[in-house]
Amino acid sequence: MKIAEKTGKTVEEAINAGIMELAVDRDRVKVEVLEEPAKKGFFGLFGTRLARVRVSYEDNPGMLAADFIKKVCQAIKVNADTQVSKDGEHWHIDITGPELGILIGRRGDTLDALQYLTNLAVAKQLSERVRIIVDVEGYRLRREETLVRLAKRLSEKVKRTGTRIVLEPMNPHERRIIHTSLQEEARISTFSEGDDPNRRVVISLKRS
């Protein structure tokens, strides 16, 4: 938690000073008024006491990730909004907006790179590792559904022909989807071969 104690002629002035020091938006801080300013007395001879406040801000991994992504989007002139949610230990950042294909890239390569950089940036600010998943308008879910359908279709082809099939190179997460979707198939075996980034899943018949 980051804390700043500030004084000012008014409570609002002291709060603004604290917000400037912490460099965060007003709606993301907690304010505690420690002392009210003294009211001016007769002929202004009294009332020299200033307002004193404590402004605190607790780092939120999701908001830090969203802030980083917004800066990236601004730098590449992409109009985008972010939605933050949490699922157990995972923070999810979903990016929405028009024409976001540039953030996805070929087979999600750019999106994976953005997610990697976001995790690094947040971990550096928090001095600890957190798990942040970045998505663009549900792309990852659609991609997973596509991979599951692909795995099922190709497994049926392997059963018909008896010939093994080697898929296109995939990242570890996508390879895991293929393996998981076919793990209950009694006649089908899956394994990976090659080295990243060209590591591929192989679908074949189980040996008798």
Side-chain angles (χ1 to χ4, degrees), residues 99-175:
E99 300 179 1
L100 296 180
I102 189 175
L103 296 181
I104 297 174
R106 184 171 178 266
R107 296 199 308 267
D109 290 348
T110 304
L111 180 57
D112 288 338
L114 177 60
Q115 177 174 287
Y116 175 74
L117 292 175
T118 301
N119 275 273
L120 284 182
V122 173
K124 183 177 180 180
Q125 292 185 66
L126 295 179
S127 298
E128 62 178 304
R129 186 174 181 179
V130 295
R131 184 73 172 99
I132 296 170
I133 299 174
V134 180
D135 200 358
V136 173
E137 294 192 328
Y139 167 81
R140 292 195 186 279
L141 178 59
R142 296 194 304 273
R143 176 64 172 165
E144 180 175 345
E145 293 172 344
T146 298
L147 290 174
V148 170
R149 290 195 300 269
L150 175 66
K152 297 294 185 183
R153 179 168 57 82
L154 293 181
S155 69
E156 292 301 318
K157 183 175 181 179
V158 171
K159 291 176 187 176
R160 290 195 312 270
T161 64
T163 303
R164 78 175 198 164
I165 294 178
V166 182
L167 279 67
E168 63 182 10
M170 296 180 184
N171 61 44
H173 175 68
E174 293 189 340
R175 295 198 303 270

Side-chain angles (χ1 to χ4, degrees), residues 5-18:
E5 289 193 9
K6 292 295 180 179
T7 59
K9 294 180 181 179
T10 65
V11 169
E12 192 64 26
E13 182 179 290
I15 292 173
N16 289 335

Side-chain angles (χ1 to χ4, degrees), residues 51-64:
R52 188 163 65 92
V53 303
R54 178 182 292 119
V55 181
S56 59
Y57 165 69
E58 187 167 2
D59 285 322
N60 178 310
M63 296 305 297
L64 290 175

